[in-house]
Amino acid sequence: MNSFWSHTFWYLLLGVATLIQVIYTLYHSENRFRTFAFYLSLVGFPLYFETFIMIFLNAYEYSPKIIQNPKLDPFNDVLAGNLFSQFGVASSSLLLTVRRKPFYWYVVISFIYSMVEVLFVFLDIYRHYWWRTWMTFIALLLFFAISKWMYSHLVRGVRSSYFKIYMILGMFPICTILFLWGVLDLFGYMQFTTTLFPSQPRISRYGLYQVFTLVSYLLVIWGFFRKHWIWRIVSITLVGTLIYFGYRGHLLIFREGYFVPIGISMIFWMYFSVWFLDTLYGRRQQKL
């Protein structure tokens, strides 16, 4: 309970603020399904960026004290804290963009998040290494500006090539985070090896995460949007082959006896994620 009030509580407050912003924006949105799909894409944008600088460049570290299972890598708790942060900034970006707030709102919200960061550092529930708060302020201004550009293209009927980028971004929260990490990894059904780079186990594990998911998502999206069904079978076969060789090369570690059902569920969830995002965006009704 001590760690709850000193650490977890503050992240939960951030989570509540995130939920309020998303609900408010959806309530005032003309197309709630598309707006929610756009939110998922916005979440993926900072997740790709911050996962890279946090894991590979050791920029900072979160400490929400949420995942405290001694059988799990303690870094999973850092990742959990990162989710509160990125879902939060994406919810603010969604509100600013969909509600068409003027630029000074970008500055105010960026400043508020910067002050929250200062508070978290003071409370010792978030730690800087080489990253600094002024970088957060500038990064948020850029993120809000890019989000505005993305939304303006979306409402005009985004081109097909751009749309696939929206899909890849949106698959990060609903496939990588929700299923691959949140279900398979944390419950020990499938994990990436930490021995590819023996001196850098964290980079080994999450580097494989990034490469595997990006290649798999590109294959799945390519197959899904092809007109002839044969290409979907080809893409499924290619992703299955990728999973198989990862398993045989000991890069993907499956719980004993679970390779086939987990491998099939991974492919199914990837295709479901594409279908889910495509349905929310209403792409088939848009002029791409």
Side-chain angles (χ1 to χ4, degrees), residues 5-155:
W5 292 110
S6 62
H7 291 70
T8 310
F9 172 74
W10 299 97
Y11 283 88
L12 291 181
L13 280 182
L14 184 58
V16 171
T18 297
L19 190 61
I20 291 173
Q21 290 181 92
V22 172
I23 292 175
Y24 173 82
T25 308
L26 290 176
Y27 179 78
H28 290 281
S29 173
E30 296 178 357
N31 188 330
R32 292 169 185 168
F33 290 111
R34 187 183 66 188
T35 299
F36 183 66
F38 184 61
Y39 174 62
L40 293 174
S41 295
L42 288 181
V43 171
F45 193 101
L47 275 176
Y48 272 110
F49 173 73
E50 292 224 9
T51 298
F52 179 79
I53 66 171
M54 183 179 70
I55 295 174
F56 301 103
L57 301 182
N58 196 32
Y60 40 71
E61 185 174 288
Y62 298 91
S63 182
K65 303 289 186 181
I66 294 174
I67 301 178
Q68 298 293 287
N69 190 333
K71 296 181 180 179
L72 295 175
D73 181 355
F75 192 70
N76 284 301
D77 189 58
V78 178
L79 295 178
N82 185 46
L83 295 182
F84 280 91
S85 173
Q86 304 323 312
F87 274 84
V89 298
S91 68
S92 296
S93 183
L94 183 76
L95 189 154
L96 294 173
T97 300
V98 175
R99 299 297 294 161
R100 294 181 172 85
K101 298 297 184 181
F103 179 75
Y104 73 85
W105 274 82
Y106 295 16
V107 176
V108 171
I109 298 299
S110 298
F111 179 77
I112 291 174
Y113 272 109
S114 298
M115 291 303 98
V116 170
E117 182 173 292
V118 170
L119 174 64
F120 277 32
V121 171
F122 174 77
L123 294 172
D124 198 29
I125 60 177
Y126 171 74
R127 185 174 297 110
H128 282 155
Y129 293 118
W130 57 264
W131 189 263
R132 294 296 180 265
T133 301
W134 65 266
M135 298 179 183
T136 298
F137 181 81
I138 294 176
L140 286 174
L141 287 179
L142 289 173
F143 175 48
F144 295 156
I146 293 173
S147 300
K148 180 181 179 180
W149 177 85
M150 291 174 62
Y151 188 71
S152 66
H153 280 262
L154 179 64
V155 296

